[in-house]
Amino acid sequence: MADPRGFLKVRERELPKSRPVEVRLRDWKDTYAQRQEGQPFLKEQAGRCMDCGIPFCHQGCPLGNLIPEWNDLVRTDQWADAIERLHATNNFPEFTGRVCPAPCETSCVLGINQPAVTIKNIEVSIIDEAFERGLVAPQVPQRLTGSTVAVVGSGPAGLAAAQQLTRAGHTVVVYERDDAIGGLLRYGIPDFKLEKEHIERRLEQMEAEGTRFRPGVAIGTDITWDALRRRFDAVVVATGATVPRDLPVPGRELDGVHYAMDFLTPSNKAVAGQPVEGAPHAEGKHVIVIGGGDTGSDCVGTSLRQGAASVTTLAIGKKPPTERPAHQPWPTDPILFEVSSSHEEGGERSFLASTVEFVGDEDGHVRSLTVAETEYLEDGRRVPKPGTERQIPADLVLIAMGFTGPETPELVQQTGAETTGRGLVRRGDDYASSLPGVFVAGDAGRGQSLIVWAIAEGRAAAAAVDAYLQGSTELPAPVGPRTVALRG
Ligand SMILES: Cc1cc2nc3c(=O)[nH]c(=O)nc-3n(C[C@H](O)[C@H](O)[C@H](O)COP(=O)(O)OP(=O)(O)OC[C@H]3O[C@@H](n4cnc5c(N)ncnc54)[C@H](O)[C@@H]3O)c2cc1C
Ligand code: SF4
């Protein structure tokens, strides 16, 4: 039972303080300091939860996190029960608690006329405290089924599927083409948002439970998809949506114009102490980031830490509103103007900016961009408005315009697997692909999304695989492949 007056006694949200910008720009460590130093206000904040008759926060979260239950367990200092309730729906709260955009908070009932409950911070505090207190132990299966499952791709979808299936008693091998496990958690998201020790700690638990990891193995080249299918009773395709969207304007071929991931991945590798040669680096350069999403924001924080001379983000659309507009009412997840920790650190942001051309010098290196104001046509198309062109200096351009879908050529050529018109791996309502025994989870089937959706899909796909292998399943399936977010 929640404190019935909690939200009346404490009306304001209180969150851990981030480290001063000038300090955090000198390293790659987590932006937030206080998480490690304890939070005297945490119980009071958890006490603001009203234990609503209809907890709309559940609706916002694809995992169906039992938010009011663990809020009250934090308020009453019952950490063992709090982590049990949190893990009941989420395999990896240390990831979502750090980098999820928290749609649960935008649908929190308290948010109608007060600031929402600090759900995300309470979540990450529970899992950090649980690790600290030794409350996160391996859950080794009581018996093995004798069935084998290959999971291809080690991002949050693959890892969630693997953990669920291992705990259900199947023998699970996770294949990853990169040299380390984690997918975009490892080599996409920078350390200042997610330090990699959080991945290591979870992988230790998974290995102790029996999941086997095979990094450095690309399915389709090192092992063919057909050989994999012959070797395992079931296969989960969790290969992500890694094909970047391009910007085919004149000058695209110039040196210094790169996809965001060709910049972020080597940067993450360098931070991990690996040798990186020939990768784009922002030191002393005028950096232009094209695209205003998470990937673009990560490019800003990374460029600033590498010592860029200037960083400008160009977004083709209008600047979103800072308050919920009437057409995106509670409890939908509104599209608002967001200031990420990277945006706090510096750089300019320009909206309604359409890139017309990359302009180079005689050596073939980009030196500036021609940018025009975006004009909206009646049919909704966005085009550069003639006569509004301007030049902005650029030595390094990072294209962060999202991803079009998964890389499927080998899968399709070697197995005949069907894809959708959008290039995603086709799947039915039970996550099954067009191939018997092959299932699809995460961005590979949904398209570019969020970590919380990848975990939810990994859990649900695991339930489908278990039912396929055993005839029935008790594993939870929080979302279907066609479940969509409550968008405004
Ligand atoms: C830069 C960036 C920042 C982001 N920031 C956030 C954020 O702050 N919050 C958030 O919620 N979401 C964020 N996202 C989105 C989020 O990371 C993804 O939605 C999520 O990781 C998808 O999980 P996944 O498991 O489906 O795929 P991925 O994480 O993409 O993992 C797929 C893995 O499969 C491997 N693979 C592919 N093909 C093969 C093969 N043939 N053989 C073996 N392995 C293969 C890939 O190497 C990769 O490691 C971000 C994305 C990017 C790019
Ligand atoms: S909607 Fe908000 S106040 Fe209500 S139960 Fe969920 S977190 Fe608590």
Side-chain angles (χ1 to χ4, degrees):
M1 173 60 193
D3 175 357
R5 295 183 56 79
F7 69 99
L8 295 172
K9 289 186 283 196
V10 181
R11 287 179 174 268
E12 292 304 321
R13 275 162 73 91
E14 196 167 352
L15 289 166
K17 293 198 176 30
S18 52
R19 295 189 291 138
V21 168
E22 61 279 13
V23 175
R24 67 192 203 228
L25 280 181
R26 283 189 230 133
D27 62 40
W28 295 88
K29 293 195 166 46
D30 194 330
T31 305
Y32 294 93
Q34 212 177 347
R35 277 208 280 256
Q36 287 87 33
E37 292 162 12
Q39 302 172 43
F41 50 82
L42 192 69
K43 286 188 199 169
E44 279 188 346
Q45 288 294 314
R48 294 181 67 235
C49 175
M50 303 184 291
D51 191 15
C52 300
I54 300 175
F56 274 84
C57 51
H58 285 196
Q59 198 160 333
C61 177
L63 286 164
N65 275 340
L66 305 168
I67 295 162
E69 291 186 40
W70 39 258
N71 278 343
D72 200 47
L73 291 164
V74 168
R75 181 181 74 86
T76 51
D77 222 359
Q78 300 182 66
W79 293 97
D81 288 341
I83 189 59
E84 187 279 320
R85 296 282 71 200
L86 181 51
H87 270 153
T89 58
N90 186 353
N91 299 65
F92 312 126
E94 63 276 30
F95 307 148
T96 46
R98 287 186 164 77
V99 293
C100 187
C104 53
E105 292 189 4
T106 45
S107 53
C108 170
V109 177
L110 197 56
I112 296 175
N113 62 353
Q114 272 197 36
V117 175
T118 56
I119 301 171
K120 176 172 155 180
N121 185 50
I122 294 166
E123 175 183 23
V124 77
S125 305
I126 295 172
I127 181 63
D128 285 359
E129 190 75 30
F131 271 116
E132 192 98 330
R133 293 177 181 225
L135 297 172
V136 185
Q139 295 177 30
V140 180
Q142 304 234 314
R143 67 175 188 94
L144 293 178
T145 61
S147 296
T148 56
V149 184
V151 174
V152 185
S154 69
L159 291 180
Q163 187 165 56
Q164 293 294 95
L165 288 164
T166 302
R167 288 176 175 177
H170 305 299
T171 301
V172 180
V173 183
V174 179
Y175 290 97
E176 169 56 57
R177 66 183 174 185
D178 261 323
D179 56 12
I181 298 293
L184 288 172
L185 302 169
R186 170 79 63 181
Y187 287 141
I189 298 175
D191 286 53
F192 53 81
K193 269 170 64 182
L194 182 71
E195 289 182 24
K196 305 312 166 199
E197 67 186 34
H198 302 297
I199 307 177
E200 306 307 344
R201 208 162 49 170
R202 187 57 77 173
L203 295 181
E204 267 174 41
Q205 182 204 32
M206 291 182 68
E207 274 180 330
E209 288 170 350
T211 307
R212 297 168 197 185
F213 294 105
R214 300 283 180 271
V217 180
I219 303 304
T221 48
D222 296 328
I223 302 174
T224 65
W225 285 97
D226 264 339
L228 194 75
R229 287 177 68 202
R230 284 196 298 275
R231 214 181 279 180
F232 289 86
D233 297 317
V235 173
V236 179
V237 180
T239 49
T242 44
V243 180
R245 183 169 288 115
D246 204 355
L247 182 58
V249 297
R252 171 64 183 87
E253 73 293 346
L254 291 169
D255 284 347
V257 182
H258 301 273
Y259 288 121
M261 295 310 292
D262 295 338
F263 172 68
L264 291 175
T265 303
S267 171
N268 278 15
K269 290 192 173 182
V271 172
Q274 297 182 35
V276 174
E277 277 172 29
H281 199 279
E283 190 174 3
K285 296 187 178 150
H286 295 292
V287 180
I288 304 293
V289 179
I290 303 179
D294 274 336
T295 308
S297 152
D298 291 351
C299 288
V300 172
T302 301
S303 299
L304 292 169
R305 280 167 180 75
Q306 289 188 356
S310 71
V311 185
T312 306
T313 302
L314 304 181
I316 192 170
K318 296 175 187 150
K319 184 177 173 185
T322 48
E323 300 278 333
R324 253 184 207 286
H327 67 280
Q328 298 182 39
W330 176 90
T332 61
D333 190 12
I335 297 167
L336 296 177
F337 178 67
E338 281 172 17
V339 181
S340 71
S341 63
S342 296
H343 296 135
E344 277 169 20
E345 289 162 359
E348 301 283 315
R349 297 170 79 179
S350 179
F351 291 88
L352 285 175
S354 290
T355 305
V356 178
E357 185 180 9
F358 303 112
V359 182
D361 58 19
E362 59 280 9
D363 296 329
H365 197 287
V366 69
R367 288 296 166 221
S368 67
L369 259 71
T370 309
V371 174
E373 192 183 310
T374 307
E375 182 175 17
Y376 283 76
L377 300 182
E378 274 182 11
D379 62 5
R381 274 184 308 133
R382 298 181 292 194
V383 294
K385 189 173 178 182
T388 62
E389 292 83 2
R390 62 192 163 105
Q391 294 296 123
I392 41 179
D395 309 307
L396 175 62
V397 178
L398 302 170
I399 300 175
M401 295 174 45
F403 301 83
T404 56
E407 296 163 51
T408 51
E410 285 104 359
L411 176 67
V412 171
Q413 279 158 19
Q414 293 169 13
T415 65
E418 289 176 17
T419 54
T420 68
R422 286 174 58 205
L424 306 172
V425 187
R426 187 183 292 285
R427 57 199 185 159
D429 286 337
D430 56 356
Y431 290 88
S433 73
S434 55
L435 308 167
V438 179
F439 296 78
V440 188
D443 284 6
R446 176 170 288 272
Q448 184 197 12
S449 184
L450 293 172
I451 289 162
V452 70
W453 281 94
I455 298 173
E457 285 220 354
R459 289 170 70 80
V465 173
D466 192 40
Y468 168 79
L469 294 172
Q470 301 286 98
S472 65
T473 185
E474 291 181 3
L475 294 179
V479 289
R482 272 160 270 285
T483 312
V484 290
L486 200 61
R487 262 277 173 210

